[in-house]
Amino acid sequence: MSDSIRQFKKVMSHFPTGVCVVTARCNGDAVGLTVNSFTSVSLDPLMVLICITRNTTAHEVISQAGAYTVSILAEGQESVSTVFAGAPNNQRFTLVQTEASPLGNPVVEGAIAYLDTEIVDSRDAGDHTIFIGRVTALHLMHEDARPLVYHRGGYRRLAPQD
């Protein structure tokens, strides 16, 4: 790894992010991976985006499916994040409980919320693809839960508010 990449990763680690699991299903094959590059794009129409490395199985399945689902992880779901970040894809859905979204994609049980999306645009960006999705369904399952947060190479907890 080059010095500039190491420095970039160090600088970016100082920006806290939420943690999500993105899933898709195509031709019966389900994929899922942990992401922190997820954000809202538009309110009219409702749109979000994710950034996925192009050299992954998940990238291929998401591209072919034309849709993806985002599960926003809750505090305490560190193990879910770890499974979807590192376990072989064929084991991920045996290690984590899921239920089907309206699009038929896996939703992580215990997640704060999920969003189903249909891809309306994609853009190459370096070694990633930006997938912009129009939200077709969403559900807030645990309104009072705190989000799982990642900062400086580790999971963090938000301080309770008064």
Side-chain angles (χ1 to χ4, degrees), residues 68-134:
Y68 59 86
T69 299
V70 179
S71 295
I72 300 171
L73 298 187
E75 189 175 88
Q77 290 190 298
E78 292 89 341
S79 63
V80 172
S81 174
T82 301
V83 164
F84 279 93
N89 193 65
N90 64 350
Q91 295 176 12
R92 293 175 186 181
F93 296 103
T94 61
L95 297 171
V96 174
Q97 294 288 86
T98 62
E99 56 191 52
S101 75
L103 283 178
N105 292 328
V107 173
V108 173
E109 286 190 11
I112 293 173
Y114 74 83
L115 300 96
D116 263 346
T117 74
E118 293 178 348
I119 296 172
V120 296
D121 199 3
S122 62
R123 302 285 177 170
D124 288 343
D127 57 359
H128 283 61
T129 298
I130 301 167
F131 290 104
I132 300 171
R134 183 180 57 79

Side-chain angles (χ1 to χ4, degrees), residues 7-46:
Q7 184 66 11
F8 181 75
K9 289 177 84 168
K10 183 176 182 180
V11 167
M12 293 307 296
S13 78
H14 284 73
F15 182 71
T17 63
V19 183
C20 303
V21 168
V22 172
T23 58
R25 186 179 297 279
C26 187
N27 300 324
D29 294 327
V31 295
L33 71 160
T34 300
V35 302
N36 63 5
S37 53
F38 161 73
T39 192
S40 62
V41 174
S42 170
L43 295 176
D44 188 17
L46 299 176

Side-chain angles (χ1 to χ4, degrees), residues 141-157:
M141 299 174 292
H142 300 285
E143 186 170 354
D144 295 329
R146 292 188 182 139
L148 183 59
V149 177
Y150 198 76
H151 179 247
R152 294 183 67 187
Y155 299 105
R156 308 291 183 222
R157 295 184 182 267

